[in-house]
């Protein structure tokens, strides 16, 4: 049996093999066995196993080997793991003893095997180390890790989970439902069971009420024995997401257009965001403008001074607020109050430009209307008395510095009361409007006309150096007014009386110049109307005499 085994087969097997007969004598060893125990076969074969084993095993190993070999000789397989020291280092080996029975069922001998399990032991040690390292990581992590068995009881809870989820109670062995009551336990239990059966993991988020009052991300991984749970506190992230969502809703709901461009000169500052108000103001859909430069809003109006300001502010990375003309998709013009704000990252680099577009057309037009109402006569559209005097004062200041003359002409419509009595006030208003238009058509663009009140007009002009030039202007006004007006199917001839005074010859301030011109006009009206006169000092005495009478 043992002794008749194929010699070549046993000799060259890589497994260390020795054959021991029923009396405990070594009958045979192969080359691998010699190398494993470091003893030649001549010292082993023919010797009792107690003597052989004492040669190459330490005392504790020897006792274990003798005990196991005796068990094998009694008919039961034995074996143990140990460590051998060899020239090439330490080897982990498994010594096993297998009884061999004869045809009658009696032990005929024992096969002794020495199996080098160093590679497996080292792998096992590495695995143990890795498991310990993983356990250390799991215990050290701020995330909450736990393991549930198939009955939904906690079998493991890491330090973080104990501190927060346990709330002072021992979780091990506790049902997860008792630790965290849920409103619909059957549904959740069914869901967990399905995860186990389908062997699929799940990622979800859930808000845990009292006593946690926190948002957690749940990651559940099925195993053969239950579920591994990984909880991460995402409260801060959810709050940040909520803040971003609220900001996005706020930006989307404001009536002011908001656009964001990437600060990238190479790509021509492409638009990356625009809110719905931008679409409503400009008429361009958000999808159609993303990736483009906003200069398309300038339309044909590319020479506006404010555009140079915008380019300079962008180049310097400075905030800017300007009003410029823009054009909607349908070509209509609107006044855009544009505010540009640069955005920098944590490193201080300019990354984006935020622009707000506000259609201020109605606001500016309203301001202009109020300004016109404050400075211009609502009926005739010429300067009112206060604005006329302000501009006259300004002109006189310039005239003093430049040694120029200023002429003030006072005009009064003749017999307007009779026209009002004939046509009513509406007809009288038409006379005033046409008179202002006729006067404007006869003077230069640099001459300023004002309505001083009622049927009285005035104008001042510079550049006339003598009476002939001034009276030439007055003649042109009279000629313009000589053409009859047709109102309600009837023709009316409108005439005026005029008087004028000059700076600096006659007076040095606006009020006095107007008074003297009015005095000259009054003299002309007394002379028969549709006439003019220049102020002369003699008119003062005539006016004084008239006041006496």
């Amino acid at each position: 049996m043992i002794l008749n085994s194929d010699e070549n087969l046993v000799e060259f097997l890589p497994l260390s093999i020795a054959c021991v007969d029923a009396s405990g004598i070594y009958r045979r060893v192969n080359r691998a066995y010699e190398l494993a125990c470091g003893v030649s076969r001549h010292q082993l074969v023919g010797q009792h196993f107690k003597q052989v084993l004492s040669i190459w095993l330490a005392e504790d190993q020897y006792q274990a080997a003798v005990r196991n070999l005796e068990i094998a000789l009694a008919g039961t397989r034995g074996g143990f793991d140990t460590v051998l020291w060899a020239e090439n280092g330490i080897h982990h080996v498994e010594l096993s003893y297998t009884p061999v029975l004869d045809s009658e069922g009696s032990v005929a001998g024992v096969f002794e095997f020495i199996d080098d399990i160093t590679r497996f032991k080292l792998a096992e040690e590495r695995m143990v180390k890795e498991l310990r390292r993983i356990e250390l990581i799991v215990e050290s992590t701020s995330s909450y890790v736990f393991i549930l068995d198939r009955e939904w009881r906690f079998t493991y809870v890491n330090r973080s989970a104990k501190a927060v989820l346990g709330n002072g109670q021992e979780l091990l062995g506790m049902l997860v439902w008792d630790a965290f009551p849920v409103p619909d336990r059957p549904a959740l239990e069914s869901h967990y069971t399905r995860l186990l059966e389908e062997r699929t993991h799940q990622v979800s988020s859930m808000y845990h009420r009292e006593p946690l009052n926190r948002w957690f991300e749940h990651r559940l991984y099925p195993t053969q024995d239950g579920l591994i749970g990984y909880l991460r506190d995402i409260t801060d992230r959810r709050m940040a997401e909520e803040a971003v969502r609220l900001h996005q809703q706020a930006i989307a709901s404001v009536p002011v257009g908001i656009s964001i461009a990437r600060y990238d000169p190479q790509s021509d500052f492409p638009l990356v965001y625009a809110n719905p108000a931008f679409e409503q103001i400009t008429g361009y859909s958000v999808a159609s403008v993303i990736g483009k430069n906003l200069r398309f809003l300038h339309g044909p109006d590319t020479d506006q001074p404010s555009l140079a300001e915008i380019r300079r502010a962008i180049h310097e990375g400075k905030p800017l607020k300007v009003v410029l003309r823009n054009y909607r998709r349908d070509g209509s013009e609107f006044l855009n109050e544009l505010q540009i704000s640069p955005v920098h990252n944590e490193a201080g680099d300019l990354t984006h430009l935020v622009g707000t577009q506000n259609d201020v057309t109605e606001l500016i037009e309203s301001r202009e209307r109020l300004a016109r109402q404050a400075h211009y006569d609502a009926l005739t559209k010429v300067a009112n008395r206060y604005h006329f005097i302000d501009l006259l004062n300004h002109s006189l200041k310039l005239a003093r510095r430049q040694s120029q003359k200023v002429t003030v002409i006072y005009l009064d419509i003749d017999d307007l009361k009779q026209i009002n009595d004939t046509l009513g006030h509406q007809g009288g208003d038409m006379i005033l409007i046409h008179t202002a238009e006729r006067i404007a058509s006869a003077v230069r663009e640099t001459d300023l006309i004002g309505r001083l009140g009622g049927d009285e007009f005035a104008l001042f002009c510079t550049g006339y150096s003598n009476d002939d030039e001034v009276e030439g202007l007055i003649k042109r006004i009279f000629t313009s007014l000589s053409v009859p007006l047709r109102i309600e199917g009837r023709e009316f001839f409108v005439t005026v009386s005029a008087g004028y005074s000059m700076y600096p010859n006659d007076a040095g301030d606006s009020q006095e110049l107007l008074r003297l011109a009015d005095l000259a006009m009054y003299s002309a009206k007394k002379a028969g109307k549709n006439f003019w006169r220049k102020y002369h000092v003699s008119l003062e005495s005539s006016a004084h005499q008239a006041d006496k009478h």
Side-chain angles (χ1 to χ4, degrees), residues 38-54:
V39 181
S40 69
R41 66 182 69 194
H42 300 295
Q43 295 174 278
L44 303 175
V45 175
Q47 301 295 323
H48 192 272
F49 71 84
K50 289 184 179 181
Q51 182 179 356
V52 170
L53 295 176
S54 66

Side-chain angles (χ1 to χ4, degrees), residues 122-423:
L122 292 176
E124 182 181 8
E125 289 176 1
R126 286 196 298 270
M127 184 177 66
V128 169
K129 288 181 180 179
E130 183 65 17
L131 288 174
R132 287 176 180 169
R133 189 179 70 85
I134 292 172
E135 183 178 6
L136 180 62
I137 293 173
V138 171
E139 283 297 314
S140 302
T141 183
S142 59
S143 298
Y144 314 131
V145 182
F146 59 87
I147 299 175
L148 301 177
D149 62 18
R150 286 183 169 269
E151 294 180 352
W152 316 121
R153 296 182 184 275
F154 288 101
T155 59
Y156 171 80
V157 184
N158 76 339
R159 186 183 296 112
S160 297
K162 289 176 183 176
V164 175
L165 304 181
N167 194 28
Q169 60 184 334
E170 177 58 52
L171 292 177
L172 292 180
M174 182 181 292
L175 284 169
V176 67
W177 322 114
D178 294 337
F180 304 104
V182 292
D184 192 357
R185 171 181 169 177
L188 198 57
E189 189 171 357
S190 174
H191 177 67
Y192 283 3
T193 301
R194 189 165 62 253
L195 289 180
L196 287 175
E197 293 173 350
E198 297 176 359
R199 306 284 290 179
T200 57
H201 73 277
Q202 180 197 48
V203 180
S204 61
S205 299
M206 183 182 299
Y207 181 75
H208 290 261
R209 301 186 182 277
E210 295 288 349
L212 298 176
N213 295 318
R214 308 288 289 174
W215 276 97
F216 289 96
E217 179 186 75
H218 293 230
R219 291 178 179 268
L220 298 175
Y221 299 91
T223 68
Q224 186 175 355
D225 300 320
L227 286 175
I228 296 177
Y230 171 95
L231 271 61
R232 186 159 60 97
D233 190 334
I234 58 170
T235 305
D236 292 342
R237 189 188 79 187
R238 288 296 294 243
M239 291 177 67
E241 290 173 350
E242 181 69 7
V244 169
R245 186 183 65 81
L246 291 174
H247 289 161
Q248 288 176 338
Q249 287 187 350
I251 291 173
S253 62
V254 295
V256 176
I258 296 177
S259 57
I260 302 176
R262 188 170 70 250
Y263 189 83
D264 185 358
Q266 300 299 323
S267 301
D268 202 20
F269 308 103
L271 197 70
V272 296
Y273 173 82
N275 71 340
F278 175 91
E279 185 172 315
Q280 295 169 2
I281 292 172
T282 66
Y284 289 94
S285 69
V286 172
S288 70
V289 300
I290 294 298
K292 296 182 179 179
N293 186 293
L294 283 181
R295 69 169 62 91
F296 63 82
L297 291 176
H298 305 160
D301 211 348
T302 57
D303 294 329
Q304 301 178 65
S306 54
L307 296 180
E309 295 181 50
I310 293 172
R311 286 190 288 270
R312 184 165 54 253
I314 291 175
H315 177 72
E316 297 175 357
K318 294 181 178 179
L320 175 72
K321 186 175 183 179
V322 295
V323 175
L324 71 160
R325 287 183 300 278
N326 279 169
Y327 295 84
R328 299 183 181 88
R329 188 171 181 273
D330 61 7
S332 60
E333 177 185 325
F334 70 98
L335 294 174
N336 180 12
E337 183 182 61
L338 173 65
Q339 183 166 338
I340 298 175
S341 301
V343 178
H344 298 82
N345 61 17
E346 293 180 354
D349 301 320
L350 181 56
T351 60
H352 293 84
L353 298 167
V354 177
T356 59
Q357 292 83 19
N358 191 14
D359 185 352
V360 293
T361 307
E362 291 186 6
L363 176 62
I364 290 179
E365 288 178 349
S366 176
R367 288 176 179 172
E368 290 176 349
R369 282 195 299 271
L370 291 174
R372 283 195 297 271
Q373 291 171 7
H375 297 96
Y376 293 90
D377 178 54
L379 179 64
T380 62
K381 311 304 180 188
V382 299
N384 61 22
R385 183 183 189 89
Y386 303 104
H387 191 44
F388 179 85
I389 292 174
D390 283 343
L391 295 175
L392 176 56
N393 286 330
H394 180 68
S395 182
L396 289 172
K397 288 180 182 179
L398 292 176
R400 290 188 192 99
R401 289 200 296 265
Q402 300 172 5
S403 299
Q404 288 184 330
K405 290 187 176 183
V406 178
T407 302
V408 175
I409 303 173
Y410 209 107
L411 304 108
D412 185 89
I413 299 175
D414 298 325
D415 303 320
L416 181 62
K417 184 177 183 304
Q418 294 179 13
I419 298 174
N420 278 336
D421 292 342
T422 303
L423 296 175

Side-chain angles (χ1 to χ4, degrees), residues 68-88:
N68 280 276
L69 207 154
E70 289 176 342
I71 291 173
L73 288 171
T76 302
R77 187 180 184 280
F80 65 100
D81 295 348
T82 189
V83 177
L84 298 180
W85 284 265
E87 293 181 359
N88 60 347

